[in-house]
Amino acid sequence: MKSIWDVIKGPVITEKALTMKDEPESLGRSGNDRQMLTLKVDRRATKPEIRRAVEQILGVKVDEVRVANYHGKMKRSPGRREMGRRSDWKKAYITLKAGQRPIMYEDAV
C-alpha cells in the first residue's frame, strides 16, 4: 500500500455495525468489554496493514482484525436495459484491546 490513508476508506454505518461499536456485549458477545469497529478498507489491504493504519490514525491498540470480501451487486441503471455492476469491496472488523478509549467516528478524523 502507498500510505495508511489509502488503506482505510471509511466507517460502515449500519444498525448492526453501530450496535457492535456502542454495546460491547451485544450480538452474542457476552462477557466482552472491548469495542469493535467496522471499516471499509482497500481490497488489496492485508491484516497487518489494516492494524497499522488503525493504530496510527485513531491512536488506539488493536487486539484483532478480521476481514470479509464482498462482491458487487448487479444493478440496472434507470431508463437503460443493460445491467451494470458495483465494484467489489472489503470490510474489516477491528476489535480494540480492553481499556482503550471509546472511538467516536465524528471525532476520529
Side-chain angles (χ1 to χ4, degrees):
M1 300 280 25
K2 294 180 178 155
S3 74
I4 59 171
W5 298 101
D6 295 331
V7 174
I8 297 176
K9 301 295 184 186
V12 174
I13 307 294
T14 61
E15 186 174 352
K16 181 179 176 181
L18 293 177
T19 302
M20 287 191 309
K21 181 177 89 56
D22 295 334
E23 301 169 14
E25 292 195 357
S26 66
L27 304 172
R29 298 167 53 215
S30 61
N32 188 16
D33 61 345
R34 301 172 299 169
Q35 186 179 24
M36 179 180 279
L37 305 176
T38 308
L39 301 173
K40 190 172 186 177
V41 296
D42 188 84
R43 285 182 48 219
R44 298 173 308 248
T46 62
K47 289 182 182 183
E49 290 172 339
I50 295 169
R51 175 188 298 266
R52 205 169 23 255
V54 169
E55 287 179 348
Q56 289 180 3
I57 291 173
L58 301 178
V60 293
K61 295 292 182 188
V62 174
D63 186 36
E64 181 183 11
V65 176
R66 293 182 297 142
V67 295
N69 290 304
Y70 289 88
H71 296 289
K73 294 181 180 179
M74 296 296 292
K75 299 297 262 186
R76 183 171 55 203
S77 300
R80 301 184 126 190
R81 291 186 180 176
E82 58 270 355
M83 295 289 283
R85 188 163 178 234
R86 290 187 177 169
S87 58
D88 298 341
W89 59 289
K90 184 184 262 190
K91 186 187 333 184
Y93 296 99
I94 292 105
T95 305
L96 304 181
K97 288 192 176 180
Q100 295 292 311
R101 64 178 175 83
I103 298 295
M104 303 306 271
Y105 288 137
E106 58 272 4
D107 298 337
V109 180

